[in-house]
Coordinates of all heavy atoms in Angstrom, one line a residue:
M1 N -2.8 -25.6 73.1 CA -4.2 -25.3 73.1 C -5.0 -25.8 74.3 O -5.9 -25.1 74.7 CB -4.9 -26.0 71.8 CG -4.3 -25.4 70.5 SD -4.6 -23.6 70.4 CE -6.2 -23.5 69.7
D2 N -4.6 -27.0 74.9 CA -5.2 -27.4 76.1 C -5.0 -26.4 77.2 O -5.9 -26.2 78.0 CB -4.6 -28.8 76.5 CG -5.0 -29.9 75.6 OD1 -6.1 -29.7 75.0 OD2 -4.2 -30.9 75.4
Q3 N -3.8 -25.8 77.3 CA -3.5 -24.9 78.4 C -4.4 -23.6 78.2 O -4.9 -23.1 79.2 CB -2.0 -24.5 78.3 CG -1.7 -23.4 79.4 CD -0.2 -22.9 79.2 OE1 0.4 -23.2 78.2 NE2 0.2 -22.0 80.1
F4 N -4.6 -23.2 76.9 CA -5.5 -22.0 76.7 C -6.9 -22.3 77.0 O -7.7 -21.4 77.4 CB -5.3 -21.5 75.4 CG -3.9 -21.0 75.0 CD1 -3.3 -21.2 73.8 CD2 -3.1 -20.3 76.0 CE1 -2.0 -20.8 73.6 CE2 -1.9 -19.8 75.7 CZ -1.3 -20.1 74.5
T5 N -7.4 -23.5 76.8 CA -8.8 -23.8 77.0 C -9.1 -23.9 78.5 O -10.2 -23.7 78.9 CB -9.2 -25.1 76.3 OG1 -8.4 -26.2 76.7 CG2 -9.2 -24.9 74.8
T6 N -8.1 -24.4 79.2 CA -8.4 -24.6 80.7 C -8.0 -23.3 81.4 O -8.6 -23.1 82.5 CB -7.5 -25.7 81.3 OG1 -6.1 -25.4 81.0 CG2 -7.8 -27.1 80.6
N7 N -7.2 -22.4 80.9 CA -6.8 -21.2 81.6 C -6.9 -20.0 80.6 O -5.9 -19.7 79.9 CB -5.4 -21.3 82.1 CG -5.0 -20.2 83.1 OD1 -5.8 -19.3 83.2 ND2 -3.8 -20.2 83.5
P8 N -8.0 -19.3 80.5 CA -8.2 -18.2 79.6 C -7.3 -17.1 80.0 O -6.9 -16.3 79.1 CB -9.7 -17.8 79.8 CG -10.3 -18.9 80.5 CD -9.3 -19.6 81.2
A9 N -6.8 -16.9 81.2 CA -5.8 -15.9 81.5 C -4.4 -16.1 80.9 O -3.8 -15.1 80.5 CB -5.7 -15.8 83.1
A10 N -4.1 -17.4 80.6 CA -2.9 -17.7 80.0 C -2.9 -17.2 78.5 O -1.9 -16.8 77.9 CB -2.5 -19.1 80.0
L11 N -4.1 -17.4 77.9 CA -4.3 -17.0 76.5 C -4.2 -15.4 76.4 O -3.5 -15.0 75.5 CB -5.7 -17.5 76.0 CG -6.1 -17.0 74.6 CD1 -5.1 -17.5 73.6 CD2 -7.5 -17.3 74.2
R12 N -4.8 -14.7 77.3 CA -4.7 -13.2 77.3 C -3.3 -12.8 77.6 O -2.8 -11.9 76.9 CB -5.6 -12.7 78.4 CG -7.1 -12.6 78.0 CD -7.9 -11.8 79.0 NE -9.0 -12.7 79.3 CZ -9.3 -13.2 80.5 NH1 -8.6 -12.8 81.5 NH2 -10.2 -14.0 80.7
A13 N -2.6 -13.5 78.5 CA -1.2 -13.2 78.7 C -0.3 -13.4 77.4 O 0.5 -12.6 77.1 CB -0.6 -13.9 79.8
Q14 N -0.6 -14.5 76.8 CA 0.2 -14.8 75.5 C -0.1 -13.8 74.5 O 0.8 -13.4 73.8 CB -0.1 -16.3 75.1 CG 0.7 -16.7 73.9 CD 2.2 -16.8 74.3 OE1 2.6 -17.2 75.3 NE2 3.0 -16.3 73.3
L15 N -1.4 -13.5 74.3 CA -1.7 -12.5 73.3 C -1.1 -11.1 73.6 O -0.7 -10.4 72.7 CB -3.3 -12.4 73.1 CG -4.0 -13.6 72.5 CD1 -5.5 -13.4 72.5 CD2 -3.5 -13.8 71.1
A16 N -1.1 -10.7 74.9 CA -0.5 -9.5 75.2 C 1.0 -9.5 74.9 O 1.6 -8.5 74.5 CB -0.8 -9.2 76.7
N17 N 1.6 -10.6 75.2 CA 3.1 -10.8 74.9 C 3.4 -10.6 73.4 O 4.3 -9.9 73.0 CB 3.6 -12.2 75.4 CG 5.1 -12.3 75.3 OD1 5.8 -11.3 75.2 ND2 5.6 -13.5 75.4
W18 N 2.5 -11.3 72.6 CA 2.7 -11.3 71.1 C 2.5 -9.8 70.7 O 3.2 -9.2 69.8 CB 1.8 -12.2 70.5 CG 2.2 -13.6 70.6 CD1 3.4 -14.1 70.9 CD2 1.3 -14.8 70.4 NE1 3.3 -15.5 70.8 CE2 2.1 -15.9 70.5 CE3 0.0 -14.9 70.1 CZ2 1.6 -17.2 70.4 CZ3 -0.5 -16.2 70.0 CH2 0.2 -17.3 70.1
A19 N 1.5 -9.2 71.2 CA 1.2 -7.8 70.8 C 2.3 -6.8 71.1 O 2.7 -6.0 70.4 CB -0.1 -7.3 71.4
Q20 N 2.9 -7.1 72.4 CA 4.0 -6.2 72.8 C 5.3 -6.4 71.8 O 5.9 -5.4 71.5 CB 4.4 -6.6 74.2 CG 5.4 -5.6 74.8 CD 5.8 -6.0 76.2 OE1 5.3 -7.0 76.7 NE2 6.5 -5.2 76.8
Q21 N 5.5 -7.7 71.5 CA 6.6 -8.0 70.5 C 6.3 -7.3 69.2 O 7.3 -6.7 68.6 CB 6.7 -9.5 70.4 CG 7.3 -10.2 71.6 CD 7.4 -11.7 71.4 OE1 6.9 -12.2 70.5 NE2 8.1 -12.3 72.4
W22 N 5.1 -7.4 68.6 CA 4.8 -6.8 67.4 C 4.8 -5.3 67.4 O 5.3 -4.7 66.4 CB 3.3 -7.3 66.9 CG 3.4 -8.6 66.3 CD1 3.1 -9.8 66.9 CD2 3.8 -9.0 65.0 NE1 3.4 -10.9 66.0 CE2 3.8 -10.4 64.8 CE3 4.3 -8.2 63.9 CZ2 4.1 -11.0 63.6 CZ3 4.6 -8.9 62.7 CH2 4.5 -10.3 62.6
L23 N 4.4 -4.8 68.4 CA 4.4 -3.3 68.5 C 5.9 -2.8 68.6 O 6.3 -1.8 68.0 CB 3.7 -2.8 69.8 CG 2.1 -2.8 69.6 CD1 1.4 -2.5 70.9 CD2 1.7 -2.0 68.4
G24 N 6.7 -3.6 69.3 CA 8.1 -3.2 69.4 C 8.8 -3.2 68.0 O 9.5 -2.4 67.5
E25 N 8.5 -4.4 67.3 CA 9.0 -4.5 65.9 C 8.5 -3.4 65.0 O 9.2 -2.9 64.2 CB 8.7 -5.9 65.4 CG 9.4 -7.0 66.0 CD 10.9 -7.0 65.8 OE1 11.3 -6.6 64.7 OE2 11.6 -7.4 66.7
L26 N 7.2 -3.1 65.1 CA 6.6 -2.0 64.3 C 7.2 -0.7 64.5 O 7.5 0.1 63.7 CB 5.1 -2.1 64.5 CG 4.3 -1.1 63.6 CD1 4.5 -1.5 62.1 CD2 2.8 -1.1 64.0
G27 N 7.4 -0.4 65.8 CA 8.1 0.9 66.2 C 9.5 1.0 65.7 O 9.8 2.0 65.2
G28 N 10.2 -0.1 65.7 CA 11.6 -0.1 65.1 C 11.4 0.1 63.6 O 12.3 0.8 63.0
L29 N 10.6 -0.5 63.0 CA 10.5 -0.4 61.5 C 10.0 1.1 61.1 O 10.7 1.7 60.2 CB 9.4 -1.3 61.0 CG 9.0 -1.3 59.5 CD1 10.3 -1.7 58.7 CD2 7.8 -2.1 59.1
V30 N 9.0 1.6 61.8 CA 8.6 3.0 61.5 C 9.8 4.0 61.8 O 10.0 4.9 61.1 CB 7.4 3.4 62.3 CG1 7.0 4.8 62.3 CG2 6.2 2.6 61.8
G31 N 10.5 3.8 62.9 CA 11.6 4.6 63.2 C 12.7 4.5 62.2 O 13.3 5.5 61.9
G32 N 13.0 3.3 61.7 CA 14.0 3.2 60.6 C 13.5 3.9 59.3 O 14.4 4.5 58.7
V33 N 12.3 3.7 59.0 CA 11.8 4.4 57.8 C 11.9 5.9 57.9 O 12.4 6.6 57.0 CB 10.4 3.9 57.4 CG1 9.7 4.8 56.3 CG2 10.4 2.5 57.0
G34 N 11.5 6.4 59.1 CA 11.5 7.9 59.3 C 13.0 8.4 59.3 O 13.3 9.5 58.7
R35 N 13.9 7.7 59.9 CA 15.3 8.1 59.9 C 15.9 8.1 58.5 O 16.6 9.0 58.1 CB 16.1 7.1 60.8 CG 17.5 7.5 61.1 CD 18.2 6.6 62.1 NE 17.7 5.2 62.2 CZ 16.9 4.8 63.2 NH1 16.4 5.5 64.1 NH2 16.5 3.4 63.2
N36 N 15.5 7.1 57.7 CA 16.0 7.1 56.3 C 15.3 8.2 55.4 O 16.0 8.7 54.6 CB 15.8 5.7 55.7 CG 16.7 4.7 56.2 OD1 17.9 5.0 56.7 ND2 16.3 3.4 56.2
A37 N 14.1 8.5 55.7 CA 13.5 9.6 55.0 C 14.2 10.9 55.3 O 14.3 11.7 54.4 CB 12.0 9.6 55.4
V38 N 14.5 11.1 56.6 CA 15.2 12.4 57.0 C 16.6 12.4 56.2 O 17.0 13.5 55.7 CB 15.3 12.5 58.4 CG1 16.3 13.6 58.8 CG2 14.0 12.7 59.1
K39 N 17.3 11.3 56.2 CA 18.6 11.3 55.5 C 18.5 11.6 54.0 O 19.2 12.3 53.5 CB 19.2 9.9 55.7 CG 19.7 9.6 57.1 CD 20.4 8.2 57.2 CE 20.8 7.8 58.6 NZ 21.3 6.4 58.6
L40 N 17.4 11.0 53.5 CA 17.2 11.2 52.0 C 16.9 12.7 51.8 O 17.4 13.3 50.8 CB 16.1 10.4 51.5 CG 15.7 10.6 50.0 CD1 16.8 10.2 49.1 CD2 14.4 9.8 49.7
G41 N 16.1 13.3 52.6 CA 15.7 14.7 52.5 C 17.0 15.6 52.6 O 17.1 16.5 51.9
L42 N 17.8 15.3 53.6 CA 19.1 16.1 53.8 C 20.0 15.9 52.6 O 20.6 16.9 52.1 CB 19.7 15.8 55.0 CG 19.0 16.2 56.3 CD1 19.8 15.6 57.5 CD2 19.0 17.7 56.4
A43 N 20.1 14.7 52.0 CA 20.9 14.5 50.9 C 20.4 15.2 49.7 O 21.2 15.9 49.0 CB 21.0 13.0 50.6
L44 N 19.1 15.2 49.4 CA 18.5 15.9 48.3 C 18.7 17.4 48.4 O 19.0 18.1 47.5 CB 17.1 15.6 48.1 CG 16.8 14.2 47.6 CD1 15.2 13.9 47.7 CD2 17.3 14.0 46.3
L45 N 18.5 17.9 49.7 CA 18.8 19.4 49.9 C 20.2 19.8 49.6 O 20.5 20.8 49.0 CB 18.4 19.7 51.4 CG 18.4 21.1 51.8 CD1 17.3 21.9 51.1 CD2 18.2 21.3 53.3
T46 N 21.1 18.9 50.1 CA 22.5 19.2 49.8 C 22.8 19.2 48.3 O 23.5 20.1 47.8 CB 23.4 18.1 50.5 OG1 23.1 18.2 51.9 CG2 24.9 18.4 50.3
V47 N 22.2 18.2 47.6 CA 22.4 18.1 46.1 C 21.9 19.3 45.4 O 22.6 19.8 44.5 CB 21.8 16.8 45.6 CG1 21.7 16.8 44.1 CG2 22.6 15.6 46.1
V48 N 20.7 19.8 45.9 CA 20.1 21.1 45.2 C 21.1 22.2 45.3 O 21.3 22.9 44.4 CB 18.7 21.3 45.8 CG1 18.3 22.7 45.5 CG2 17.7 20.3 45.4
F49 N 21.6 22.4 46.6 CA 22.5 23.6 46.7 C 23.8 23.4 46.1 O 24.4 24.4 45.6 CB 22.6 24.0 48.2 CG 21.4 24.6 48.8 CD1 20.5 23.9 49.7 CD2 21.1 25.9 48.5 CE1 19.4 24.5 50.2 CE2 20.0 26.5 49.0 CZ 19.2 25.8 49.9
V50 N 24.3 22.2 46.1 CA 25.6 22.0 45.4 C 25.4 22.2 43.8 O 26.2 22.8 43.2 CB 26.2 20.7 45.7 CG1 27.3 20.2 44.8 CG2 26.7 20.6 47.1
Y51 N 24.3 21.7 43.3 CA 24.0 21.9 41.9 C 23.8 23.3 41.6 O 24.3 23.8 40.5 CB 22.7 21.1 41.5 CG 22.4 21.1 40.0 CD1 23.2 20.4 39.1 CD2 21.4 21.8 39.6 CE1 23.0 20.5 37.8 CE2 21.1 21.9 38.3 CZ 21.9 21.2 37.4 OH 21.6 21.3 36.0
R52 N 23.1 24.1 42.4 CA 22.8 25.4 42.2 C 24.1 26.4 42.3 O 24.3 27.2 41.5 CB 21.7 25.9 43.1 CG 21.3 27.3 42.8 CD 20.2 27.8 43.8 NE 21.0 28.2 45.0 CZ 20.4 28.7 46.1 NH1 19.2 28.9 46.1 NH2 21.2 29.0 47.1
D53 N 24.8 26.1 43.4 CA 26.0 27.0 43.7 C 27.3 26.2 43.5 O 28.3 26.7 44.2 CB 25.8 27.5 45.1 CG 24.6 28.3 45.3 OD1 24.2 29.0 44.4 OD2 24.0 28.2 46.4
G54 N 27.3 25.2 42.8 CA 28.6 24.4 42.6 C 29.8 25.2 42.1 O 30.9 25.0 42.5
E55 N 29.6 26.0 41.1 CA 30.7 26.8 40.5 C 31.3 27.7 41.5 O 32.5 27.9 41.6 CB 30.2 27.5 39.3 CG 29.8 26.6 38.1 CD 31.0 25.8 37.5 OE1 32.1 26.4 37.5 OE2 30.8 24.7 37.1
S56 N 30.4 28.4 42.3 CA 30.9 29.3 43.3 C 31.6 28.6 44.4 O 32.7 29.1 44.8 CB 29.7 30.1 43.9 OG 30.0 30.8 45.1
L57 N 31.1 27.4 44.8 CA 31.8 26.7 45.8 C 33.1 26.1 45.3 O 34.1 26.2 46.1 CB 30.9 25.4 46.1 CG 31.4 24.4 47.2 CD1 31.6 25.1 48.5 CD2 30.5 23.3 47.3
L58 N 33.2 25.7 44.0 CA 34.5 25.3 43.5 C 35.5 26.5 43.5 O 36.7 26.3 43.8 CB 34.3 24.7 42.1 CG 35.5 24.2 41.4 CD1 36.2 23.0 42.2 CD2 35.2 23.7 40.0
D59 N 35.1 27.7 43.1 CA 36.0 28.8 43.0 C 36.5 29.1 44.4 O 37.7 29.4 44.6 CB 35.2 30.1 42.5 CG 35.0 29.9 41.0 OD1 35.7 29.1 40.3 OD2 34.1 30.6 40.5
Q60 N 35.6 29.0 45.4 CA 36.1 29.3 46.8 C 37.0 28.3 47.3 O 38.1 28.6 47.9 CB 34.8 29.4 47.7 CG 34.0 30.6 47.5 CD 32.8 30.6 48.4 OE1 32.6 29.8 49.3 NE2 31.8 31.4 48.0
V61 N 36.8 27.0 47.0 CA 37.7 25.9 47.4 C 39.1 26.1 46.7 O 40.2 26.0 47.3 CB 37.1 24.5 47.1 CG1 38.1 23.4 47.2 CG2 35.9 24.3 48.0
Q62 N 39.0 26.5 45.4 CA 40.3 26.7 44.7 C 41.1 27.9 45.3 O 42.4 27.7 45.4 CB 40.1 26.9 43.2 CG 39.7 25.7 42.4 CD 39.4 26.0 41.0 OE1 39.0 27.1 40.6 NE2 39.6 25.0 40.1
R63 N 40.4 28.9 45.7 CA 41.1 30.1 46.2 C 41.8 29.7 47.6 O 43.0 30.1 47.8 CB 40.2 31.2 46.4 CG 40.1 32.1 45.3 CD 39.4 33.4 45.5 NE 38.0 33.1 45.2 CZ 36.9 33.4 45.9 NH1 37.0 34.0 47.0 NH2 35.7 33.2 45.5
V64 N 41.1 28.9 48.4 CA 41.6 28.5 49.7 C 42.8 27.6 49.5 O 43.9 27.6 50.1 CB 40.6 27.9 50.5 CG1 41.2 27.2 51.8 CG2 39.5 28.9 50.9
L65 N 42.7 26.6 48.5 CA 43.7 25.6 48.3 C 44.9 26.2 47.6 O 46.0 25.7 47.9 CB 43.2 24.4 47.5 CG 42.2 23.5 48.1 CD1 41.7 22.4 47.2 CD2 42.9 22.8 49.4
R66 N 44.7 27.3 46.9 CA 45.9 28.0 46.2 C 46.8 28.5 47.3 O 48.0 28.6 47.1 CB 45.4 29.1 45.3 CG 45.2 28.6 43.9 CD 45.3 29.6 42.8 NE 44.9 29.0 41.6 CZ 43.7 28.9 41.1 NH1 42.7 29.4 41.7 NH2 43.5 28.3 40.0
R67 N 46.3 28.9 48.4 CA 47.1 29.4 49.5 C 48.1 28.4 50.0 O 49.2 28.7 50.4 CB 46.3 30.0 50.6 CG 45.5 31.3 50.2 CD 44.7 31.8 51.4 NE 43.9 32.9 50.9 CZ 43.0 33.4 51.7 NH1 42.8 33.0 52.9 NH2 42.2 34.5 51.2
F68 N 47.6 27.2 50.0 CA 48.4 26.1 50.6 C 49.2 25.3 49.6 O 50.4 24.9 49.8 CB 47.5 25.1 51.3 CG 46.8 25.7 52.5 CD1 45.5 25.9 52.5 CD2 47.5 26.0 53.6 CE1 44.7 26.5 53.5 CE2 46.8 26.6 54.7 CZ 45.4 26.8 54.6
L69 N 48.7 25.1 48.4 CA 49.3 24.3 47.3 C 49.9 25.1 46.2 O 50.6 24.5 45.3 CB 48.3 23.2 46.8 CG 47.7 22.3 47.9 CD1 46.6 21.4 47.2 CD2 48.8 21.5 48.5
G70 N 49.6 26.3 46.0 CA 50.1 27.1 44.9 C 49.4 26.7 43.6 O 48.2 26.5 43.6
T71 N 50.2 26.7 42.5 CA 49.6 26.4 41.2 C 49.3 25.0 41.0 O 48.6 24.7 40.0 CB 50.6 26.9 40.1 OG1 51.8 26.2 40.3 CG2 50.8 28.4 40.2
R72 N 49.7 24.1 41.8 CA 49.4 22.7 41.7 C 48.0 22.3 41.9 O 47.5 21.3 41.6 CB 50.2 21.8 42.7 CG 51.8 21.9 42.4 CD 52.5 21.2 43.4 NE 52.3 21.7 44.8 CZ 52.7 21.3 45.9 NH1 53.3 20.1 45.9 NH2 52.4 21.9 47.1
V73 N 47.2 23.3 42.5 CA 45.8 23.0 42.9 C 45.0 22.6 41.6 O 44.0 21.8 41.7 CB 45.2 24.1 43.7 CG1 44.9 25.3 42.7 CG2 43.9 23.7 44.3
D74 N 45.3 23.2 40.5 CA 44.5 23.0 39.3 C 44.6 21.5 38.8 O 43.6 20.8 38.4 CB 44.9 23.9 38.1 CG 44.5 25.3 38.4 OD1 43.5 25.5 39.1 OD2 45.3 26.2 38.0
A75 N 45.8 20.9 39.0 CA 46.0 19.5 38.6 C 45.3 18.6 39.6 O 44.7 17.6 39.2 CB 47.5 19.2 38.6
Y76 N 45.3 19.0 40.9 CA 44.6 18.2 41.9 C 43.1 18.2 41.7 O 42.4 17.2 41.7 CB 44.9 18.7 43.3 CG 46.3 18.3 43.7 CD1 47.1 19.3 44.4 CD2 46.9 17.2 43.4 CE1 48.4 19.0 44.8 CE2 48.2 16.9 43.9 CZ 48.9 17.7 44.6 OH 50.2 17.5 45.0
I77 N 42.6 19.4 41.4 CA 41.1 19.5 41.2 C 40.7 18.7 39.9 O 39.6 18.1 39.9 CB 40.7 21.0 41.0 CG1 40.9 21.8 42.3 CG2 39.2 21.1 40.6 CD1 40.0 21.5 43.4
G78 N 41.5 18.8 38.9 CA 41.2 17.9 37.7 C 41.3 16.5 38.0 O 40.4 15.7 37.5
A79 N 42.3 16.0 38.8 CA 42.3 14.6 39.1 C 41.1 14.2 40.0 O 40.6 13.1 39.8 CB 43.6 14.3 39.9
I80 N 40.7 15.0 40.8 CA 39.6 14.7 41.7 C 38.3 14.6 40.8 O 37.5 13.7 41.0 CB 39.4 15.7 42.8 CG1 40.5 15.6 43.9 CG2 38.0 15.6 43.5 CD1 40.5 16.8 44.8
G81 N 38.2 15.5 39.9 CA 37.0 15.5 39.0 C 37.0 14.2 38.1 O 36.0 13.5 38.0
N82 N 38.2 13.9 37.6 CA 38.2 12.6 36.8 C 38.0 11.4 37.6 O 37.3 10.4 37.1 CB 39.6 12.5 36.1 CG 39.8 13.6 35.0 OD1 38.8 14.1 34.5 ND2 41.1 14.0 34.7
T83 N 38.5 11.3 38.8 CA 38.3 10.2 39.6 C 36.8 10.0 40.0 O 36.2 8.9 40.0 CB 39.1 10.3 40.9 OG1 40.5 10.4 40.6 CG2 38.9 9.1 41.9
T84 N 36.2 11.1 40.3 CA 34.7 11.2 40.7 C 33.9 10.6 39.5 O 33.0 9.8 39.7 CB 34.3 12.5 41.1 OG1 35.1 13.0 42.2 CG2 32.8 12.5 41.5
K85 N 34.2 11.1 38.3 CA 33.5 10.6 37.1 C 33.7 9.2 36.9 O 32.8 8.4 36.5 CB 33.9 11.4 35.9 CG 33.4 12.8 35.8 CD 34.0 13.5 34.6 CE 33.6 15.0 34.7 NZ 34.3 15.8 33.5
A86 N 34.9 8.7 37.0 CA 35.2 7.2 36.8 C 34.5 6.4 37.8 O 33.9 5.4 37.5 CB 36.7 7.0 36.9
V87 N 34.5 6.8 39.1 CA 33.7 6.0 40.2 C 32.2 6.0 39.8 O 31.6 5.0 39.9 CB 34.0 6.6 41.5 CG1 33.1 6.1 42.5 CG2 35.5 6.4 41.9
L88 N 31.7 7.2 39.4 CA 30.3 7.2 39.1 C 29.9 6.3 37.9 O 28.9 5.5 37.9 CB 29.8 8.7 38.8 CG 28.3 8.9 38.5 CD1 27.5 8.5 39.7 CD2 28.1 10.3 38.0
Y89 N 30.7 6.4 36.8 CA 30.5 5.5 35.7 C 30.6 4.0 36.1 O 29.9 3.2 35.6 CB 31.4 5.8 34.5 CG 31.1 7.2 33.9 CD1 32.2 8.0 33.4 CD2 29.8 7.7 33.7 CE1 32.0 9.2 32.8 CE2 29.6 8.9 33.2 CZ 30.7 9.6 32.7 OH 30.4 10.9 32.1
G90 N 31.6 3.7 36.9 CA 31.7 2.4 37.3 C 30.6 1.8 38.1 O 30.1 0.7 38.0
L91 N 30.0 2.7 39.0 CA 28.9 2.3 39.8 C 27.7 2.0 38.9 O 27.0 1.0 39.1 CB 28.5 3.3 40.8 CG 29.4 3.4 42.0 CD1 29.1 4.6 42.9 CD2 29.4 2.2 42.9
V92 N 27.4 2.9 38.0 CA 26.3 2.8 37.1 C 26.5 1.5 36.2 O 25.5 0.7 36.0 CB 26.1 4.0 36.2 CG1 25.1 3.8 35.1 CG2 25.7 5.2 37.1
L93 N 27.6 1.3 35.6 CA 27.9 0.2 34.8 C 27.8 -1.1 35.5 O 27.3 -2.1 35.0 CB 29.2 0.3 34.0 CG 29.3 1.4 33.0 CD1 30.7 1.5 32.4 CD2 28.2 1.2 31.9
T94 N 28.3 -1.1 36.7 CA 28.2 -2.3 37.6 C 26.8 -2.6 37.9 O 26.3 -3.8 37.9 CB 29.0 -2.1 38.9 OG1 30.3 -1.9 38.5 CG2 28.9 -3.4 39.8
A95 N 25.9 -1.6 38.2 CA 24.5 -1.9 38.5 C 23.8 -2.4 37.3 O 23.0 -3.3 37.4 CB 23.9 -0.6 39.0
L96 N 24.1 -1.8 36.1 CA 23.5 -2.3 34.9 C 23.9 -3.7 34.6 O 23.0 -4.6 34.2 CB 23.9 -1.4 33.7 CG 23.3 0.0 33.7 CD1 23.8 0.8 32.5 CD2 21.8 -0.1 33.5
A97 N 25.1 -4.1 34.8 CA 25.6 -5.5 34.6 C 24.9 -6.4 35.6 O 24.4 -7.5 35.2 CB 27.1 -5.6 34.7
Q98 N 24.8 -6.0 36.8 CA 24.1 -6.9 37.8 C 22.7 -7.1 37.4 O 22.0 -8.1 37.6 CB 24.3 -6.3 39.2 CG 25.6 -6.4 39.8 CD 25.8 -5.8 41.1 OE1 24.9 -5.0 41.5 NE2 26.9 -6.0 41.8
G99 N 22.0 -6.0 37.0 CA 20.6 -6.0 36.6 C 20.4 -7.0 35.4 O 19.5 -7.8 35.4
A100 N 21.3 -6.9 34.5 CA 21.2 -7.7 33.2 C 21.5 -9.2 33.7 O 20.7 -10.1 33.1 CB 22.3 -7.3 32.2
L101 N 22.4 -9.5 34.5 CA 22.6 -10.9 35.0 C 21.4 -11.4 35.8 O 21.2 -12.6 35.6 CB 23.9 -10.9 35.8 CG 25.2 -10.8 35.0 CD1 26.4 -10.7 35.9 CD2 25.4 -11.9 34.0
A102 N 20.9 -10.6 36.5 CA 19.7 -11.0 37.4 C 18.5 -11.2 36.5 O 17.7 -12.1 36.8 CB 19.4 -9.9 38.5
A103 N 18.4 -10.5 35.5 CA 17.2 -10.7 34.5 C 17.4 -12.0 33.8 O 16.5 -12.7 33.5 CB 17.1 -9.5 33.6

């Protein structure tokens, strides 16, 4: 404080330094929020089209895979579906258990 009372230019320089640091942090925060908002928007857009055209997409994938794997593709698709459901249920149940323990 003694330095600032004797030298007002030092106070201005210190305030400018603090403002520059805060603006840099604020810019990083706003950029991060914007980047995450764009990622969320793209994810939601993808989910909408997969939900709307999922059956058609699955049929096309099965046709392509049948050329390479033959009749085994149905078993693979079923296993992928079961695994996806199990992972989803596991994530939801884990989140519920963590929430219950935190409460």
